[in-house]
Amino acid sequence: MSLSGLLQFVGRSLQRLELRLAQAAGFDSVGPALAVNGPQILPQSHHSSDEENSEPSFLDSIFWMAAPKKRRTIEVNRCRRRHPNKLIKVKYNIEPCPECGNMKLKHTLCGFCYEKVRKETAMIRKQISIMEGRPLNTPAVESVVLYENETPSEADKDKRIVERNRKRPYWFNM
Amino acid sequence: MRLTLRALISHGRVARRIGLGPESRINILRNILTGLVRHERIETTRARADEVRFYAEKLIDYAKKGDTNEKSMKMADFWLTEKDLIPKLFKVLAVRFENQRDGCTRMARIPNRENLDRASMAVLEYKGNPFPPLFPMKRVSELNLLNQLLKAYREEKAQMCCVWLVDA
């Protein structure tokens, strides 16, 4: 196959690819975008249809797509699927929480114990928001939380007292 | 000969990238810091909590200089988007930490978020807040089996010692 022949073939493939892309984008006819289709005087459409029918379709696209040559054997598949970097790593940093006995990660708070604290904090915050009334009304004083049958002590004189209607939980001693 | 661009390798770079860019990062951290000053205990992702910690402690340092200080007031005005927290910062938080040099915040890790993203979370709080403590107090109870056995062992040893002394 001659070099000029090859170059001609590549050029023609590129032109056809361009036409295909233009058609895909929505430009139906060759030429300026705002041009309107005039009357068909010159026999151009026949010429282009002959060209397409004459050459086989697999030479149209110049993109040779990758495809697997051989079936991957089960041995090769197993090697890939069972490689350590694909398996889930075992965690060795799990230990029981000394308070409640649920499992927790070593450097993390226990989920159960933290959930208790979170719920109580949310109740205290709800009480504070009721006391404040409207938003953006924070007073410039410290707060202290008192449960049922508790009186403010000496240190709590200047503080805002947040009252909760339940007895003091055993894990909140202060 | 260096074959790769310095910009593509990030060995040893310690600055975290949060949000859409440096300005976005500062805005995000400012919102978190405002929430922290308002609520005194905040749950966020670990990276953000770590970043906000530095800014929270620096803000307390500025607040300790007093509210007549021009720079401190400007800092508080910039960092706290809700302006009713500025008196709280100067009168409550600065006073609470006036005898401490540093260590005003505490960060603890929490189990991952329940959402699809399973983000690693942390809880960040100012020390001395009125809420229940995150870390339970260590209580040593005498009613454990182990402690009871140890107590009995100590008593027996004391008795044996007395008997030995009396004999000799």
Side-chain angles (χ1 to χ4, degrees):
Chain A
M1 202 160 154
S2 63
L3 185 66
S4 59
L6 179 64
L7 282 171
Q8 275 172 28
F9 162 68
V10 169
R12 253 182 288 137
S13 310
L14 276 169
Q15 277 173 13
R16 234 173 292 125
L17 179 71
E18 224 181 84
L19 196 64
R20 290 271 165 75
L21 284 173
Q23 279 173 359
F27 300 110
D28 288 324
S29 61
V30 182
L34 292 174
V36 178
N37 259 332
Q40 296 273 341
I41 308 168
L42 305 167
Q44 282 162 0
S45 50
H46 298 303
H47 183 62
S48 56
S49 65
D50 276 342
E51 263 200 49
E52 272 170 36
N53 289 339
S54 60
E55 299 200 24
S57 55
F58 73 86
L59 279 177
D60 269 358
S61 63
I62 59 163
F63 292 121
W64 301 99
M65 304 282 280
K69 192 77 180 174
K70 285 290 197 184
R71 177 205 157 110
R72 278 170 165 178
T73 57
I74 185 62
E75 292 88 2
V76 166
N77 281 342
R78 277 192 197 123
C79 286
R80 185 184 66 254
R81 288 167 194 163
R82 296 182 189 182
H83 193 268
N85 75 0
K86 285 213 169 167
L87 302 177
I88 304 175
K89 299 250 161 18
V90 181
K91 279 198 205 310
Y92 294 103
N93 52 357
I94 306 179
E95 56 172 18
C97 166
E99 292 287 313
C100 61
N102 288 326
M103 291 311 211
K104 71 182 207 54
L105 284 172
K106 262 203 190 129
H107 50 278
T108 313
L109 295 182
C110 164
F112 189 76
C113 300
Y114 177 67
E115 194 58 35
K116 279 193 307 203
V117 168
R118 215 171 63 90
K119 289 220 155 64
E120 186 57 32
T121 319
M123 297 305 288
I124 295 172
R125 284 209 186 116
K126 208 189 279 189
Q127 188 67 27
I128 288 177
S129 73
I130 294 171
M131 279 173 71
E132 285 179 2
R134 57 184 174 86
L136 306 182
N137 197 14
T138 324
V141 288
E142 297 255 13
S143 312
V144 70
V145 182
L146 292 179
Y147 289 89
E148 255 169 15
N149 308 329
E150 281 181 18
T151 50
S153 70
E154 264 305 303
D156 306 336
K157 284 198 277 136
D158 303 321
K159 300 186 187 174
R160 152 176 83 159
I161 294 168
V162 182
E163 305 215 338
R164 285 272 299 128
N165 296 342
R166 53 161 286 182
K167 90 178 163 65
R168 182 166 279 262
Y170 69 91
W171 36 268
F172 186 8
N173 307 319
M174 252 186 299
Chain B
M1 189 186 92
R2 234 205 132 80
L3 293 169
T4 48
L5 291 170
R6 193 144 180 6
L8 299 176
I9 298 178
S10 80
H11 288 173
R13 307 218 181 155
V14 293
R16 266 202 194 94
R17 291 195 251 178
I18 293 180
L20 307 165
E23 203 184 315
S24 164
R25 171 180 164 272
I26 292 282
N27 289 338
I28 289 174
L29 296 181
R30 180 169 42 181
N31 284 337
I32 298 176
L33 185 52
T34 306
L36 177 66
V37 170
R38 156 155 269 134
H39 297 119
E40 296 193 32
R41 184 180 279 180
I42 267 246
E43 248 182 56
T44 47
T45 57
R46 239 171 246 179
R48 289 177 186 184
D50 202 35
E51 292 282 302
V52 168
R53 227 181 153 186
F54 168 78
Y55 290 100
E57 308 221 351
K58 274 278 183 300
L59 188 67
I60 298 279
D61 287 341
Y62 270 109
K64 279 189 204 172
K65 294 185 184 170
D67 61 358
T68 43
N69 191 330
E70 181 69 42
K71 186 81 191 284
S72 302
M73 196 43 96
K74 275 197 186 151
M75 277 289 167
D77 186 49
F78 173 77
W79 278 100
L80 300 174
T81 51
E82 292 162 10
K83 305 302 173 190
D84 64 316
L85 296 173
I86 300 181
K88 179 178 173 185
L89 173 73
F90 284 106
K91 292 191 182 138
V92 173
L93 293 178
V95 168
R96 200 194 278 175
F97 299 119
E98 63 189 347
N99 296 330
Q100 290 179 18
R101 199 173 69 101
D102 52 0
C104 316
T105 53
R106 184 184 285 131
M107 184 172 113
R109 295 188 186 185
I110 313 177
N112 289 356
R113 209 195 261 159
E114 292 301 317
N115 288 358
L116 185 63
D117 63 4
R118 307 297 295 176
S120 50
M121 301 288 277
V123 61
L124 185 64
E125 60 168 15
Y126 275 122
K127 289 184 184 169
N129 61 57
F131 299 121
L134 292 172
F135 297 99
M137 306 256 100
K138 279 196 177 157
R139 293 162 295 155
V140 183
S141 163
E142 240 208 14
L143 302 169
N144 285 355
L145 178 63
L146 187 61
N147 285 347
Q148 288 282 302
L149 292 172
L150 283 171
K151 189 169 137 196
Y153 169 73
R154 279 184 213 119
E155 279 170 11
E156 263 197 47
K157 216 168 103 162
Q159 267 183 11
M160 298 264 282
C161 237
C162 285
V163 163
W164 181 82
L165 278 172
V166 162
D167 279 349

